[in-house]
Amino acid sequence: MTVPPTEHATAQPGAVPPPGCPAHIGDGPGGATRLYGPAAATDPMGLYEELRAAHGPVAPVLLDGDVRAWLVLGYLENRDVASRPTQFSRDPRVWHGWRSGEIDPATSPLVPMIGWRPDCVCADGEEHQRLRGAVTAGLSQFDHRGVRRLITRFAHQLIDTFCESGEAELVERFTEHLPMLTLIHLLGMSDESAPELVRAARDLFKATETSLASNAYVLECLERLVVEKRADPGHDIASALMAHPAGLTDEEVQHHLRLILLAGYETTANLMSNVMRMVVTDPRFRGSLAGGQMTLPEAVEQVLWDEPPLMVCPGRWANGDTTLGGQQIKAGDMLLLGLAAGNVDQAIRPDADTPVHHNRAHLSFSAGTHECPGQDIGRIIADAGIDILLTRLPDIALAIPEEDLSWRSSTWARHLTALPVTFAPRPPQADDVPAPLPAPPARSDGRPAASPASATDPGTAARPERRASWLTRVLRFLRRK
């Protein structure tokens, strides 16, 4: 990558960040700004605006280990990159950093996020269509009403663990657990190490020294799941991937399960936390919601504009020399989609305070052929879970001053660490039995699709008991807290 010359800067002299601001603190080799470290962790949105003022819609940045990349900040530029796969490849093997020795694949914490994998995210053209088709089929096999019933049951069970106390920390007790419980059942998992699996999946987004070990643990758990489902398929995403006409190998199935777990859990947990934070801190937001001027799905869309659960999306790689946002992009350069920065670009949002909850044109699920295929399930989890929480505890209120809230940020995401709330104590009302997964959809001939394993299969009959036993232990653990 070539660091852009000064004539590409778009800021006026007075707009250059003063000494001591995050952009100067993060300055690295060649004048590029680090997307890691104290400045990025403390105020990533502020850092994006400093970069926009200094460089325009595309800025030179450094990832962990001072690995060079371009951060796309403009809304239109983000859509341009996401919509031109022939110019901007999704295949990381295009990157010149592998050949130049800029990164050590054996030790870099970036590898789990930017390394090549046999999944649809790292593919273009016909190969992407083949793999993406299997993922879409696996996700779309579930009736949304059935998924909502599953989420409803889990939400009630989680709320029952703290509703009598009159206080709770919602991130740990609700917004992190509900997506976890839902995804585990949709993926087809029954392993009792699932909570540790999800913690490892979240660790991948931190790009720390433990990321490689966490990635290995996730892949090991999913490899066991693939072996189990080859022998005993069921009505779940893992089995659907295996049965799809695209003919995915076991390794491809394993890595697509990893993709769904990582993308689905991290983004949905963050989305739920962000929505709940706005509900308990923003009087305009709560007033609109309570007054009927904003439905909960619309509130979710507003948060997706203002606080995307994934702030930076890796990555794209230039197939050839080109110009983007006034910058000279060289063949093999790495580009990062700045989803959060693009969503607040004044070119499309001149007034950030103007409500946009009726508009789904945000970048929070990316764009183009690689737009997130599981976004509807993520919306359902957030919408249904928060609706039940507010119905059960309508007087919920923040237990600490808003300024005492804190976040944990990485290059890729910003995560609310805790959301303590109070409410009037109420009695529990749910059972400890998880709802069954929705039935398979009807076949093209109108008859119900046959489940790969019948209800009389001893192996199939045993799985609900293992899941219920594990879930019961999780709920008992939460009640003791």
Side-chain angles (χ1 to χ4, degrees):
M1 180 179 122
T2 303
V3 175
T6 55
E7 64 262 29
H8 289 143
T10 59
Q12 298 299 318
V16 175
C21 82
H24 279 300
I25 294 172
D27 277 351
T33 299
R34 291 186 172 97
L35 278 189
Y36 65 98
T42 303
D43 184 17
M45 292 298 292
L47 182 58
Y48 302 153
E49 293 311 309
E50 300 285 1
L51 286 167
R52 201 193 312 266
H55 301 286
V58 179
V61 295
L62 299 170
L63 302 178
D64 293 80
D66 284 348
V67 172
R68 298 168 295 166
W70 296 99
L71 178 62
V72 185
L73 302 162
Y75 178 89
L76 296 177
E77 288 76 13
N78 268 285
R79 284 203 168 271
D80 185 23
V81 172
S83 302
R84 282 202 288 158
T86 56
Q87 176 64 59
F88 301 106
S89 174
R90 248 323 207 155
D91 190 336
R93 292 172 294 188
V94 174
W95 184 43
H96 49 55
W98 306 114
R99 301 184 299 275
S100 67
E102 187 169 351
I103 190 173
D104 183 355
T107 61
S108 174
L110 294 173
V111 171
M113 296 300 293
I114 68 170
W116 182 85
R117 303 172 302 275
D119 62 28
C120 60
V121 167
C122 296
D124 296 314
E126 293 183 0
E127 180 66 0
H128 170 255
Q129 294 176 14
R130 178 182 77 88
L131 298 172
R132 169 93 175 200
V135 172
T136 302
L139 294 171
S140 62
Q141 67 176 314
F142 304 112
D143 175 72
H144 283 184
R145 289 172 297 180
V147 174
R148 189 176 289 270
R149 287 194 296 271
L150 181 73
I151 297 165
T152 298
R153 179 64 64 87
F154 287 148
H156 281 302
Q157 291 169 341
L158 290 171
I159 295 168
D160 280 354
T161 67
F162 57 77
C163 64
E164 293 179 289
S165 67
E167 60 182 13
E169 197 288 281
L170 289 184
V171 173
E172 182 183 10
R173 304 295 297 272
F174 189 71
T175 63
E176 288 192 343
H177 278 280
L178 185 60
M180 176 184 72
L181 291 170
T182 305
L183 281 173
I184 283 172
H185 281 261
L186 294 181
L187 288 175
M189 298 182 65
S190 59
D191 191 339
E192 295 184 2
S193 66
E196 181 60 33
L197 170 65
V198 177
R199 281 192 288 271
R202 165 149 279 178
D203 185 58
L204 295 180
F205 283 88
K206 300 177 184 177
T208 65
E209 64 277 2
T210 60
S211 292
L212 288 173
S214 295
N215 188 56
Y217 179 78
V218 169
L219 290 173
E220 179 184 345
C221 290
L222 295 175
E223 183 179 16
R224 290 198 298 267
L225 176 63
V226 170
V227 171
E228 174 188 331
K229 291 300 176 181
R230 283 291 185 196
D232 184 18
H235 179 55
D236 49 64
I237 295 175
S239 301
L241 290 176
M242 295 176 188
H244 194 269
L248 272 63
T249 66
D250 283 1
E251 184 182 22
E252 289 173 337
V253 172
Q254 176 190 12
H255 279 271
H256 281 95
L257 294 174
R258 172 191 180 275
L259 172 64
I260 294 169
L261 179 66
L262 286 177
Y265 175 73
E266 175 73 12
T267 57
T268 307
N270 285 349
L271 175 60
M272 292 186 66
S273 296
N274 292 340
V275 172
M276 282 307 306
R277 182 189 68 81
M278 291 194 70
V279 167
V280 298
T281 61
D282 190 331
R284 296 169 302 171
F285 188 89
R286 186 68 177 261
S288 295
L289 193 60
Q293 299 175 8
M294 181 187 294
T295 65
L296 188 54
E298 289 171 345
V300 169
E301 296 307 317
Q302 181 69 47
V303 172
L304 285 170
W305 274 102
D306 296 336
E307 294 186 86
L310 190 64
M311 304 185 77
V312 174
C313 178
R316 298 293 194 277
W317 288 268
N319 277 325
D321 295 353
T322 188
T323 301
L324 181 71
Q327 310 288 19
Q328 299 300 314
I329 309 297
K330 300 297 183 182
D333 279 2
M334 182 195 309
L335 298 95
L336 311 172
L337 299 184
L339 308 181
N343 277 352
V344 295
D345 186 355
Q346 289 192 358
I348 53 101
R349 287 185 70 185
D351 183 1
D353 293 329
T354 300
V356 286
H357 54 262
H358 292 293
N359 191 331
R360 283 195 173 190
H362 52 73
L363 299 170
S364 293
F365 296 110
S366 189
T369 58
H370 285 276
E371 186 173 0
C372 176
Q375 57 183 282
D376 287 341
I377 289 181
R379 283 185 171 100
I380 291 172
I381 296 174
D383 177 25
I386 294 174
D387 182 54
I388 293 163
L389 180 65
L390 296 179
T391 300
R392 293 276 304 271
L393 308 174
D395 57 342
I396 199 165
L398 189 64
I400 62 174
E402 182 181 352
E403 57 268 22
D404 289 346
L405 294 174
S406 62
W407 284 261
R408 182 173 61 248
S409 299
S410 69
T411 297
W412 319 110
R414 185 171 183 251
H415 176 61
L416 185 65
T417 56
L419 189 64
V421 296
T422 59
F423 45 84
R426 290 174 175 81
Q429 68 178 50
D431 298 324
D432 271 350
V433 181
L437 285 174
R443 299 193 314 196
S444 58
D445 59 5
R447 293 179 296 164
S451 174
S454 70
T456 58
D457 183 342
T460 304
R463 277 198 302 273
E465 290 189 12
R466 292 201 302 270
R467 284 175 175 167
S469 174
W470 171 77
L471 176 60
T472 299
R473 282 195 289 274
V474 170
L475 294 171
R476 287 173 181 168
F477 171 76
L478 289 174
R479 288 191 180 100
R480 290 198 299 268
K481 302 189 76 172

